[in-house]
């Protein structure tokens, strides 16, 4: 996860130079190579280099261009299109734990990596289907090290919230089956819990994508689905893990929360930054995801080793999720406005997106302005 998130930021110049199609195709080749090389490893450090680093780099090369392709081809109802595309993440979480469990039973782990390598090659097919942008549309990107979004203290808060969310989510994904098996659940039923997370995440993303922009940023929905579910996930995990039905309930709650958070974050970042700087802002957010991902596993592992119980790691994860929601709520009420809720005479009083404020300041000072990810028609 760390390699994927970091690569999606660092390797963006390749997408700018060669386009979305070739970036996704190269990502498919690199990820397939990493998985296939994992078949012949004999040492643990080799697993890190092949399955961890090389496969992660391939997925990172394919991830950002896949999102950018939607940004290029959709103007009207872009948020709905992005939400449907990202719901594929939830669908994958549903399918692949069951598929991998079955492959492990019949082919062992080396054969499973071989099959997954062939599946990763299908990214090349997906990339080949990404046609060039019609009607001369093109994407102009800021320089890689541009720091326009970082001029706003509110965006710093969003980055910190994303760090906590990534940390908590990674801990839960990583240790959910192990916690269930520690409570005497079988390996098969424990792995199925990850699929339950995917089902709930897929459902949540689809629901909020079709309910529209306003429903996701609505005050009541935002409080209930972020802080409300965060409190539940943090407080009742040991009680639910006593039996398998409770474990499924916990997985569904976390999956619904996860699907809502990704939709909410995408729309809130557009309101805070404005559409011109959203891609650069997402780059910094992806870096915070990478940082949270690489910190989560070792931190939770040390805590479990010290306390000899999984529940404390889940308290830690739930607290991180809850804190990320609190941060986002504070900045939402401070800086986000819902344009559609405002009548026409009042639209002139709407708050300017944060980056626009910085650009207005630049204009007053005579400084140049850089434009990020603006889709234009020639």
């Amino acid at each position: 996860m760390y390699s994927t998130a970091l690569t999606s930021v660092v390797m963006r110049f390749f997408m700018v130079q060669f386009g979305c199609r070739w970036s996704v195709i190269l990502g498919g080749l690199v990820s397939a190579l990493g998985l296939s090389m994992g078949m012949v490893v004999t040492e643990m450090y080799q697993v890190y280099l092949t399955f961890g680093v090389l496969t992660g780099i391939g997925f990172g090369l394919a991830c950002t261009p896949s999102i950018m392709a939607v940004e290029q081809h959709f103007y009207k109802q872009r948020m709905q299109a992005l939400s449907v595309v990202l719901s594929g993440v939830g669908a994958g979480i549903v399918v692949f734990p069951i598929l991998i469990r079955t492959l492990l039973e019949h082919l062992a782990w080396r054969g499973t990596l071989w099959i997954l390598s062939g599946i990763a090659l299908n990214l090349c097919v997906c990339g080949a289907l990404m046609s060039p942008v019609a009607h001369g549309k093109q994407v102009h990107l800021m320089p890689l090290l541009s720091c326009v979004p970082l001029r706003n203290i509110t965006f710093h808060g969003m980055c910190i919230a994303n760090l906590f969310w990534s940390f908590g989510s990674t801990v839960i994904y990583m240790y959910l089956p192990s916690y269930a098996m520690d409570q005497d659940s079988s390996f098969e039923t424990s792995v199925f819990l990850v699929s339950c997370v995917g089902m709930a995440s897929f459902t949540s993303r689809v629901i909020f994508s079709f309910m529209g922009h306003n429903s996701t940023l609505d005050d009541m929905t935002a409080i209930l689905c972020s802080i409300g579910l965060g409190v539940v996930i943090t407080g009742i995990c040991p009680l639910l893990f006593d039996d398998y039905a409770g474990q499924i309930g916990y997985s569904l709650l976390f999956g619904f929360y996860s699907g809502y958070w990704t939709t909410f974050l995408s729309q809130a970042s557009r309101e805070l930054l404005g559409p011109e700087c959203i891609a650069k802002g997402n780059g910094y957010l992806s870096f915070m995801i990478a940082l949270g991902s690489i910190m989560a596993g070792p931190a939770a592992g040390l805590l479990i080793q010290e306390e000899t119980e999984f529940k404390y790691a889940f308290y830690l994860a739930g607290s991180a999720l809850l804190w990320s929601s609190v941060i986002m709520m504070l900045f939402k009420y401070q800086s986000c406005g819902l344009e559609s809720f405002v009548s026409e005479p009042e639209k002139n009083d709407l708050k300017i997106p944060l980056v626009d404020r910085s650009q207005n300041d630049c204009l007053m000072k005579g400084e140049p302005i850089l434009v990020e990810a603006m889709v234009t028609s020639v």
Side-chain angles (χ1 to χ4, degrees), residues 128-185:
L129 293 174
M130 293 182 180
S131 60
V133 182
H135 307 300
K137 292 181 180 179
Q138 56 183 348
V139 174
H140 302 284
L141 294 172
M142 286 180 184
L144 178 63
L145 299 179
S146 172
C147 58
V148 170
L150 297 181
R151 296 175 185 175
N152 305 284
I153 187 64
T154 305
F155 185 72
H156 293 181
M158 182 179 290
C159 288
I160 295 172
N162 219 39
L163 172 67
F164 280 108
W165 175 82
S166 175
F167 183 96
S169 297
T170 302
V171 170
I172 294 177
Y173 276 117
M174 187 175 293
Y175 290 103
L176 182 61
S178 298
Y179 190 9
M181 286 187 286
D182 186 64
Q183 300 297 313
D184 298 326
S185 296

Side-chain angles (χ1 to χ4, degrees), residues 151-152 356-369:
R151 296 175 185 175
N152 305 284
D356 288 352
R357 298 178 202 171
S358 298
Q359 292 178 351
N360 289 338
D361 294 340
C362 290
L363 286 173
M364 295 177 65
K365 298 176 183 178
E367 299 176 0
I369 297 175

